[in-house]
Amino acid sequence: MDLDLTPEQRMIRDTARDFATRDVLPHAAGIDRRHEFPREIMAKLGTLGLMGVGVPEAWGGAGMDTVSYVLALEEIARACAATAVIMSVNNSLVCGPILAHGSDAQKRAWLPDLASGRKLGCFALSEPESGSDAGALRTSARRAGDSGFILNGTKNFVTNGPVADVVVLLASTDPAAGSKGISAFIVDARNPGLKFGPPDDKLGIRGAPSAQLFATDAVVSADAMLGVPGSGYKIALGALDAGRIGIAAQALGIARAAFEDATKYALERKTFGQPIARHQAIEFKLADMSTEIDAARLMIWRAAVKKDQGARYTSEAAMAKLLASEVANRVAKEAVQVFGGYGYLTDFPVERHFRDAKITEIYEGTSEIQRMVIARAVLGA
Ligand code: CAA
């Protein structure tokens, strides 16, 4: 499905597809089995411009639009969902807010390295007692005279955390003001007051390391603040709008992987004298999968186009993530069914797609949060 892609958009998709097929897919099972951070792949993605797709060339990025970004991300996720989320977090939740809200000095300090893959970023918002209710976070950033802030608190599920060089971290500079007292900071991950816990042991996306992050009297200078005091919650929610398009594209890639693997298998596997793909029970499953995948892709492209037009796209991003993540789970579940007993074995990638799909309904806002965001837009609340 090409619609009216520009030559540049087709080029980035084809580049990502070739790279994913040749250099990512053959390693995906091993990355999952060994819970291995794909360091070399990430470096190559940086060289290809895929770690800072929307970052202008002046700041070391590829200077391409959001449609290009989702095209590339779908291809990478089709090969390896873990690799795709590492890429998505760096692009949407780290480069995105620095580009949108950073000073020239902050952009100069971080973007060229992040966009080229020389450095990797992570985003620390969730806490042990605040996930969906992100505005209730407790990590504090206490003023230390004029020179800076002292950070204290615990962050949860920080994707890329154990291998990150920089953290976009949300903390309260004014607890009495609630979510309006939250500020955003760009913190060097080597800050002696920061410590990551052991990597989380997860159901899926096992190559994308995540962990708790502990800030204990971590001193940061005043110029580490991103945006103005109290603007952190909006910066985070804005970054998550873009992030949700990215996770939708990741979900789409997982769905496509499950669908393509199931279709190939259904054409090879014979029962009752013919390939199972020729039995209506299987044929209808493949037809439904294909239809839902196309619907998800169209929703993702719509959200990406709206973002590129500079319009508010909160609801479209939420719809795209809601649909694509649920499609990924339905398609992966049906793909396991097409494989029958073999689908339950780790010898075939389809069980990995089934495990990887689940997280797309949870991170960067659960499906329930997406429905809440969409309902607010529908009801004008
Ligand atoms: N962009 C910019 N501003 C926004 C916004 C957006 N998308 N959404 C809301 N705002 C503004 C509002 O206009 C409002 O501004 P005013 O105070 O000036 O009116 C302010 O932000 C607060 O908005 P709400 O009152 O709507 O906020 P809320 O507290 O009721 O909750 C929520 C909103 C939708 C529930 C939000 O908290 C949310 O999205 N929660 C889910 C958190 C989440 O997605 N976490 C993911 C963690 S990161 C992760 O998962 C990464 C990873 O591992 C890969």
Side-chain angles (χ1 to χ4, degrees), residues 45 47 49 59 71 73 85 102 134 147 205 212 231 236 238 256 285 356 358 362 369 374:
L45 285 175
T47 313
W59 297 114
L71 289 167
L73 202 41
V85 73
S147 59
I205 56 156
Q212 281 195 306
S231 65
R256 221 183 85 204
K285 282 191 201 302
D356 285 345
K358 185 59 205 172
I362 298 172
I369 288 293
I374 297 160

Short mmCIF file of all heavy atoms in Angstrom, two decimals, residues 45 47 49 59 71 73 85 102 134 147 205 212 231 236 238 256 285 356 358 362 369 374:
data_model
loop_
_atom_site.label_atom_id
_atom_site.label_comp_id
_atom_site.label_asym_id
_atom_site.label_seq_id
_atom_site.Cartn_x
_atom_site.Cartn_y
_atom_site.Cartn_z
N LEU A 45 21.77 1.87 12.77
CA LEU A 45 20.56 2.68 12.59
C LEU A 45 20.90 4.16 12.67
O LEU A 45 20.33 4.98 11.95
CB LEU A 45 19.51 2.33 13.66
CG LEU A 45 18.75 1.01 13.48
CD1 LEU A 45 17.84 0.74 14.67
CD2 LEU A 45 17.91 1.04 12.19
N THR A 47 23.77 5.49 11.80
CA THR A 47 24.45 5.84 10.54
C THR A 47 23.44 6.06 9.42
O THR A 47 23.62 6.91 8.55
CB THR A 47 25.41 4.69 10.13
OG1 THR A 47 26.16 4.32 11.28
CG2 THR A 47 26.35 5.10 9.03
N GLY A 49 20.58 7.34 9.77
CA GLY A 49 19.74 8.50 10.07
C GLY A 49 18.45 8.14 10.79
O GLY A 49 17.57 8.98 10.95
N TRP A 59 21.06 19.90 13.04
CA TRP A 59 21.35 19.35 14.36
C TRP A 59 21.78 17.88 14.27
O TRP A 59 21.71 17.13 15.23
CB TRP A 59 20.11 19.45 15.27
CG TRP A 59 19.68 20.87 15.57
CD1 TRP A 59 18.52 21.46 15.17
CD2 TRP A 59 20.40 21.87 16.29
NE1 TRP A 59 18.47 22.77 15.60
CE2 TRP A 59 19.61 23.05 16.30
CE3 TRP A 59 21.65 21.90 16.94
CZ2 TRP A 59 20.02 24.22 16.91
CZ3 TRP A 59 22.05 23.07 17.55
CH2 TRP A 59 21.25 24.21 17.54
N LEU A 71 7.13 4.90 8.54
CA LEU A 71 7.44 3.91 7.50
C LEU A 71 8.68 3.11 7.92
O LEU A 71 8.71 1.88 7.82
CB LEU A 71 7.71 4.60 6.16
CG LEU A 71 6.50 5.23 5.46
CD1 LEU A 71 6.97 6.14 4.32
CD2 LEU A 71 5.57 4.15 4.92
N LEU A 73 9.98 2.84 10.97
CA LEU A 73 9.76 2.12 12.24
C LEU A 73 8.98 0.82 12.00
O LEU A 73 9.28 -0.22 12.61
CB LEU A 73 9.02 3.04 13.20
CG LEU A 73 9.09 2.80 14.70
CD1 LEU A 73 10.49 2.41 15.18
CD2 LEU A 73 8.63 4.06 15.42
N VAL A 85 11.52 -0.42 19.54
CA VAL A 85 11.15 0.46 20.66
C VAL A 85 12.35 1.26 21.15
O VAL A 85 12.21 2.41 21.57
CB VAL A 85 10.46 -0.30 21.82
CG1 VAL A 85 11.40 -1.16 22.63
CG2 VAL A 85 9.78 0.72 22.74
N GLY A 102 14.06 22.61 23.67
CA GLY A 102 15.43 22.87 24.13
C GLY A 102 15.95 24.23 23.69
O GLY A 102 15.50 24.79 22.67
N ALA A 134 0.10 10.09 35.48
CA ALA A 134 1.48 10.57 35.43
C ALA A 134 1.65 11.89 36.19
O ALA A 134 2.74 12.19 36.70
CB ALA A 134 1.92 10.72 33.99
N SER A 147 22.26 27.89 41.58
CA SER A 147 23.14 27.09 40.72
C SER A 147 22.46 25.88 40.10
O SER A 147 22.95 25.32 39.14
CB SER A 147 24.36 26.66 41.52
OG SER A 147 23.92 25.91 42.64
N ILE A 205 9.76 -8.07 24.14
CA ILE A 205 10.76 -7.03 23.81
C ILE A 205 11.98 -7.14 24.74
O ILE A 205 12.44 -6.17 25.32
CB ILE A 205 10.17 -5.60 23.80
CG1 ILE A 205 9.48 -5.23 25.11
CG2 ILE A 205 9.24 -5.41 22.63
CD1 ILE A 205 9.42 -3.70 25.34
N GLN A 212 14.45 0.26 36.81
CA GLN A 212 14.14 1.38 37.69
C GLN A 212 15.33 2.34 37.69
O GLN A 212 16.47 1.93 37.45
CB GLN A 212 13.93 0.88 39.12
CG GLN A 212 12.56 0.26 39.36
CD GLN A 212 12.26 0.12 40.85
OE1 GLN A 212 13.06 -0.48 41.57
NE2 GLN A 212 11.14 0.64 41.30
N SER A 231 6.50 23.53 33.21
CA SER A 231 5.98 23.14 31.87
C SER A 231 6.22 21.65 31.59
O SER A 231 5.89 21.17 30.50
CB SER A 231 6.66 23.97 30.77
OG SER A 231 8.05 23.68 30.73
N ALA A 236 5.92 16.47 28.57
CA ALA A 236 5.84 15.00 28.57
C ALA A 236 4.64 14.52 27.76
O ALA A 236 4.76 13.59 26.94
CB ALA A 236 5.75 14.49 30.00
N GLY A 238 3.08 16.07 25.38
CA GLY A 238 3.33 16.36 23.95
C GLY A 238 4.27 15.32 23.35
O GLY A 238 4.05 14.84 22.24
N ARG A 256 2.40 -7.20 11.20
CA ARG A 256 2.81 -7.64 9.84
C ARG A 256 3.70 -8.87 9.91
O ARG A 256 3.57 -9.80 9.09
CB ARG A 256 3.54 -6.49 9.15
CG ARG A 256 3.14 -6.37 7.70
CD ARG A 256 3.94 -5.29 7.04
NE ARG A 256 5.21 -5.77 6.56
CZ ARG A 256 6.26 -4.98 6.36
NH1 ARG A 256 6.20 -3.70 6.64
NH2 ARG A 256 7.39 -5.50 5.90
N LYS A 285 -9.26 -16.09 8.37
CA LYS A 285 -8.37 -15.46 9.38
C LYS A 285 -7.37 -14.54 8.67
O LYS A 285 -7.15 -13.41 9.10
CB LYS A 285 -7.54 -16.54 10.12
CG LYS A 285 -8.29 -17.31 11.20
CD LYS A 285 -7.27 -18.13 12.02
CE LYS A 285 -7.91 -19.27 12.76
NZ LYS A 285 -8.96 -18.89 13.70
N ASP A 356 5.71 -10.18 22.17
CA ASP A 356 6.10 -8.78 21.94
C ASP A 356 4.88 -7.87 21.80
O ASP A 356 4.93 -6.69 22.19
CB ASP A 356 6.95 -8.66 20.67
CG ASP A 356 8.38 -9.17 20.84
OD1 ASP A 356 8.81 -9.36 21.99
OD2 ASP A 356 9.06 -9.38 19.81
N LYS A 358 2.05 -7.73 23.32
CA LYS A 358 1.30 -7.32 24.52
C LYS A 358 1.67 -5.93 25.03
O LYS A 358 0.81 -5.13 25.40
CB LYS A 358 1.46 -8.38 25.62
CG LYS A 358 0.61 -8.10 26.85
CD LYS A 358 -0.89 -8.04 26.52
CE LYS A 358 -1.67 -7.21 27.50
NZ LYS A 358 -3.07 -6.99 27.08
N ILE A 362 0.19 -1.45 26.53
CA ILE A 362 0.47 -0.98 27.89
C ILE A 362 1.32 0.29 27.90
O ILE A 362 0.93 1.30 28.50
CB ILE A 362 1.14 -2.10 28.71
CG1 ILE A 362 0.20 -3.31 28.83
CG2 ILE A 362 1.54 -1.60 30.10
CD1 ILE A 362 0.82 -4.54 29.46
N ILE A 369 -6.10 4.34 28.82
CA ILE A 369 -5.74 5.77 28.76
C ILE A 369 -6.02 6.32 27.36
O ILE A 369 -6.52 7.44 27.21
CB ILE A 369 -4.27 5.99 29.18
CG1 ILE A 369 -4.11 5.79 30.69
CG2 ILE A 369 -3.76 7.37 28.76
CD1 ILE A 369 -4.82 6.83 31.57
N ILE A 374 -9.30 9.78 23.85
CA ILE A 374 -10.22 9.88 22.70
C ILE A 374 -11.59 10.36 23.17
O ILE A 374 -12.20 11.25 22.56
CB ILE A 374 -10.34 8.50 21.98
CG1 ILE A 374 -8.98 8.09 21.41
CG2 ILE A 374 -11.41 8.56 20.88
CD1 ILE A 374 -8.85 6.60 21.11
#
